[in-house]
Amino acid sequence: MATTQDIIEKMRKDGYPYKIIGNGGYKATLYDIQPLNGGEYMAIYRYPGGVCCHGLEEINQCFGVVER
């Protein structure tokens, strides 16, 4: 079974940044994966007040990238 670290590394290879500036200008760190239908997925990012799911397109269009 894949570890959380393995999953995060796969997501980073797929283009998800490790750290972003997202909702409300807060910094968030890639935390886990949210599986969707058809083998697709979204990233779960940890913010200071909790977690939130973001798709890659949303991140690229709306958020700042702190660390790839």
Side-chain angles (χ1 to χ4, degrees), residues 53-68:
C53 291
H54 297 299
L56 188 55
E57 186 174 322
E58 174 190 22
I59 292 167
N60 290 333
Q61 290 181 2
C62 304
F63 300 150
V65 174
V66 176
E67 181 181 336
R68 283 270 168 210

Side-chain angles (χ1 to χ4, degrees), residues 6-28:
D6 293 337
I7 292 168
I8 288 174
E9 287 304 315
K10 181 224 181 291
M11 294 169 69
R12 291 179 78 182
K13 287 178 185 174
D14 287 347
Y16 281 91
Y18 184 63
K19 293 188 178 193
I20 60 172
I21 297 176
N23 297 344
Y26 291 101
K27 288 185 181 178

Side-chain angles (χ1 to χ4, degrees), residues 28-43:
T29 303
L30 187 58
Y31 174 70
D32 207 347
I33 191 168
Q34 175 63 52
L36 303 173
N37 290 333
E40 298 293 319
Y41 71 88
M42 294 177 81

